[in-house]
Amino acid sequence: MRSKNIISTIVLGFFAFIGGGSFSDGELVFWGITIFVFVIFVIIYSSIQRSKDKEEQAKKDKEKEEAERRNTNKYNQDLYNLSEKYGENTLVIDILGMGNTKNVDSAIIVYEQKSIIRIMGKMYNFKDIIGVSVSDNQKIVHGQMASSTKTSTGSMVGRAVVGDLVAGPVGSIIGGSTAKKNTTFVQDDDSIVHDYTIHINVNDISTPIIHINTWNDSELTNKIVGLINVILVRNK
């Protein structure tokens, strides 16, 4: 797209240039050939640049896929190592966060047979879970305002007729341009953006509360809170 704009500018500039003065046939041929060669150069350069950009993007995509593959392999290996130590897990809740990558130290893993739960990299017995609550630091996002302006057709015709009677064709143009215009403003509905944080109370003097941010993911929030409530019921 950029090359097309450059070429269009060059061509228009060329015609403006030759239109501003008198040139011999030889001069016109010279400048025509010069512009042609330059345009071909721009096209070839743009094509080469697009090819390089595609190669660079393909390289980045491949590196990203490779990184994701390595991360998945490490994640699965870490889960396997934990299962070797604590037995088969019953439930894994991944808390991906902003990085959107899986990590066993950013997850909740339940080993029901041994009544233990691993929360954000630390092990707890079910009986050490003593409470749970949720806070929501929500924000209100105001809807965008859009305007639409319409010209009253009847008013425009009337003014054009009056203008024509007063001052002829020019008056007609002026009269029509002063026609009545109505502007309507429409605002979208406001929306609420949630920012959930789960607070899990544990029987630990050094760290009595575990804070887990789940951002605006209500499904993940409910899943974690539901799990903790089940453990609390079993502790009774």
Side-chain angles (χ1 to χ4, degrees):
M1 182 62 69
R2 183 181 300 176
S3 62
K4 290 183 179 179
N5 293 336
I6 294 175
I7 294 172
S8 298
T9 302
I10 294 172
V11 173
L12 290 175
F14 173 70
F15 281 111
F17 176 70
I18 63 176
S22 58
F23 301 92
S24 65
D25 292 341
E27 289 175 327
L28 289 176
V29 170
F30 169 77
W31 284 111
I33 293 175
T34 301
I35 295 297
F36 176 77
V37 171
F38 186 78
V39 168
I40 294 299
F41 170 79
V42 171
I43 293 175
I44 294 175
Y45 175 80
S46 300
S47 178
I48 295 174
Q49 190 62 43
R50 284 195 300 269
S51 179
K52 289 182 178 179
D53 292 342
K54 288 181 180 179
E55 291 178 0
E56 186 67 23
Q57 187 60 46
K59 181 180 179 181
K60 290 181 180 179
D61 292 341
K62 186 176 180 180
E63 291 175 350
K64 182 179 179 181
E65 291 177 2
E66 182 64 22
E68 291 176 351
R69 185 185 64 80
R70 289 195 300 268
N71 177 76
T72 300
N73 290 341
K74 183 179 184 303
Y75 174 80
N76 292 334
Q77 184 62 48
D78 290 343
L79 281 180
Y80 176 79
N81 293 339
L82 288 170
S83 66
E84 286 289 295
K85 186 175 182 179
Y86 301 106
E88 192 69 26
N89 65 70
T90 307
L91 177 67
V92 178
I93 300 177
D94 292 306
I95 305 170
L96 301 181
M98 302 303 289
N100 201 33
T101 56
K102 290 183 177 182
N103 188 328
V104 294
D105 290 335
S106 299
I108 296 177
I109 309 173
V110 180
Y111 301 91
E112 188 175 10
Q113 291 183 351
K114 292 190 176 182
S115 297
I116 56 178
I117 180 172
R118 193 174 194 267
I119 305 176
M120 312 299 285
K122 191 171 182 178
M123 302 298 300
Y124 299 92
N125 289 317
F126 280 4
K127 64 181 181 180
D128 291 328
I129 308 299
I130 59 178
V132 64
S133 62
V134 179
S135 62
D136 182 11
N137 185 26
Q138 61 181 234
K139 297 179 181 179
I140 298 178
V141 178
H142 297 290
Q144 293 184 343
M145 181 75 73
S147 63
S148 175
T149 302
K150 295 183 179 180
T151 302
S152 176
T153 305
S155 174
M156 181 173 64
V157 173
R159 289 172 181 266
V161 172
V162 172
D164 191 42
L165 292 175
V166 173
V170 176
S172 177
I173 296 174
I174 296 174
S177 65
T178 59
K180 183 178 180 181
K181 297 180 180 179
N182 296 320
T183 301
T184 303
F185 293 92
V186 179
Q187 183 176 8
D188 295 335
D189 294 336
D190 293 344
S191 60
I192 298 176
V193 178
H194 297 279
D195 186 12
Y196 300 111
T197 300
I198 302 172
H199 313 281
I200 303 175
N201 295 91
V202 294
N203 186 19
D204 187 338
I205 297 298
S206 61
T207 310
I209 303 178
I210 304 171
H211 303 284
I212 302 175
N213 186 241
T214 53
W215 293 273
N216 64 339
D217 194 333
S218 58
E219 182 178 352
L220 176 62
T221 302
N222 290 330
K223 190 173 184 178
I224 296 174
V225 172
L227 167 65
I228 301 301
N229 279 328
V230 169
I231 292 175
L232 291 173
V233 169
R234 292 190 179 187
N235 288 338
K236 293 181 180 180

